[in-house]
Amino acid sequence: MYIRVSEIPGGGLDVFASRGKASISHVLEGMDPAPLRELRLVEADLLLTVEDGDLWVEGSFEARGEGFCDRCSDPVTLRFGKAFQTILTPQSRDQVVASSVELHGEDLDVGYYDGTGVESNDILWEQVALELPLQVVCCEGCRGICPVCGKNRNMEACSCAAGDAPGPFDILKNLKGKKE
């Protein structure tokens, strides 16, 4: 949904962007969900308040993703979400004045828009992307796959010693003596 700022009366008017529950699942279409293989929004709310050309954005989302555990390769389903607040200010504001101002922690949630409108999907994409996990694990205690015998150590114990597996750089040990 594209929201035109020029059509919204100024002075603190609250605008609620709503397209209905049926459209929520399509908001993240086209987004790269890596490290997950599939990602979709389950629920999303977005409230925009316009004040002196600035857009104050408050929202929340809940997403569901599917992928594979990075340690044992078992399928994993994750649910995550958060509530967020951010301020979008027009790019046309004087950047020179803004560059001389000291930033505080609360100022880090400021973004810019072109001054004519905002794509609400982009706001949600950004917030979801910030919450994507860096590593997908089935559980914190996942022991993974044995690098020697290939057994899933969560399902069955293996008797392999920790030092039995060849390292990826073991071949470099032999190169030192073969130098011409």
Side-chain angles (χ1 to χ4, degrees):
M1 170 184 284
Y2 186 78
I3 300 168
R4 284 188 177 272
V5 177
S6 59
E7 294 178 3
I8 301 172
L13 175 69
D14 289 341
V15 177
F16 182 71
S18 176
R19 292 187 286 181
K21 294 241 183 228
S23 67
I24 289 176
S25 61
H26 301 293
V27 170
L28 299 181
E29 284 181 358
M31 180 180 178
D32 180 11
L36 301 171
R37 65 178 171 83
E38 188 177 316
L39 178 66
R40 62 189 159 279
L41 278 181
V42 176
E43 191 172 318
D45 294 313
L46 196 60
L47 177 67
L48 305 174
T49 305
V50 180
E51 188 174 308
D52 297 328
D54 290 338
L55 289 173
W56 296 75
V57 180
E58 289 184 62
S60 64
F61 73 89
E62 186 176 340
R64 181 173 182 238
E66 296 175 4
F68 295 99
C69 179
D70 289 338
R71 296 179 189 164
C72 68
S73 298
D74 283 348
V76 177
T77 300
L78 299 174
R79 283 185 85 105
F80 59 94
K82 78 172 194 175
F84 58 89
Q85 295 179 335
T86 189
I87 300 168
L88 299 175
T89 190
Q91 286 178 341
S92 60
R93 292 244 170 105
D94 189 5
Q95 297 290 332
V96 175
V97 173
S99 66
S100 65
V101 176
E102 181 180 344
L103 291 177
H104 302 286
E106 63 271 6
D107 297 328
L108 298 178
D109 289 332
V110 176
Y112 295 97
Y113 70 100
D114 66 6
T116 61
V118 174
E119 179 65 48
S120 62
N121 286 0
D122 291 346
I123 296 170
L124 288 169
W125 274 35
E126 177 183 13
Q127 296 301 321
V128 170
L130 289 171
E131 290 300 305
L132 284 173
L134 296 176
Q135 184 179 32
V136 179
V137 291
C138 58
C139 65
E140 284 301 315
C142 179
R143 297 184 317 185
I145 294 175
C146 176
V148 177
C149 67
K151 291 181 182 176
N152 185 341
R153 293 186 282 196
N154 296 322
M155 302 290 187
E156 57 185 301
C158 69
S159 59
C160 301
D164 288 348
F169 300 107
D170 282 352
I171 193 164
L172 296 176
K173 291 178 186 176
N174 300 331
L175 293 178
K176 186 176 180 182
K178 294 181 179 180
K179 189 175 180 181
E180 292 181 23

